């Protein structure tokens, strides 16, 4: 049931995804499915924190429209030749995904 509620809230975005993703961490101990100690061992591994940090950087980039400013600056400097514009888009996507990941 918790999985279905979480999936439904994830797809419909009833709450922000960052809050919805923590829903099992709250509901499992309340419903007696798993203990807090077991859940924290699974949720808070080093790789999980790496992903969470990437998500937070992505949210900050989106919040301040940094991605739009980077793309507009690079494409503007690329000029009007279609090859350079496409290259500018490719470079900006590479740069942003490298920086966030």
């Amino acid at each position: 049931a918790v999985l279905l509620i979480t999936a439904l809230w994830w797809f419909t975005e009833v709450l922000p995804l960052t809050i919805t993703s923590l829903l099992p961490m709250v509901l499992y101990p309340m419903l007696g499915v798993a203990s807090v100690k077991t859940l924290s061992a699974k949720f808070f591994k080093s790789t999980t924190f790496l992903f969470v940090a990437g998500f937070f950087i992505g949210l900050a980039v989106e919040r301040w429209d940094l991605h739009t400013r980077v793309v507009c600056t690079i494409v503007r400097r690329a000029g009007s030749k279609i090859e350079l514009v496409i290259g500018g888009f490719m470079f900006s996507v590479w740069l942003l995904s490298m920086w966030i990941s």
Side-chain angles (χ1 to χ4, degrees), residues 6 9-10 12-23 59:
T6 305
W9 285 12
W10 191 280
T12 59
E13 292 188 27
V14 174
L15 294 173
L17 295 180
T18 51
I19 296 171
T20 305
S21 66
L22 295 174
L23 195 61
L59 286 172

Side-chain angles (χ1 to χ4, degrees), residues 56-70 99:
F56 281 133
I57 291 172
L59 286 172
V61 166
E62 185 179 4
R63 164 93 163 84
W64 297 105
D65 278 337
L66 182 63
H67 60 296
T68 306
R69 288 188 270 169
V70 167
W99 188 64

Side-chain angles (χ1 to χ4, degrees), residues 10-72:
W10 191 280
F11 290 131
T12 59
E13 292 188 27
V14 174
L15 294 173
L17 295 180
T18 51
I19 296 171
T20 305
S21 66
L22 295 174
L23 195 61
M25 188 73 174
V26 174
L27 290 178
Y28 281 177
M30 286 175 48
L31 298 173
V33 176
S35 68
V36 175
K37 185 176 181 180
T38 306
L39 286 174
S40 61
K42 293 190 182 293
F43 268 80
F44 300 120
K45 292 183 178 179
S46 60
T47 54
T48 306
F49 276 113
L50 181 67
F51 284 115
V52 169
F55 292 147
F56 281 133
I57 291 172
L59 286 172
V61 166
E62 185 179 4
R63 164 93 163 84
W64 297 105
D65 278 337
L66 182 63
H67 60 296
T68 306
R69 288 188 270 169
V70 167
V71 170
C72 288

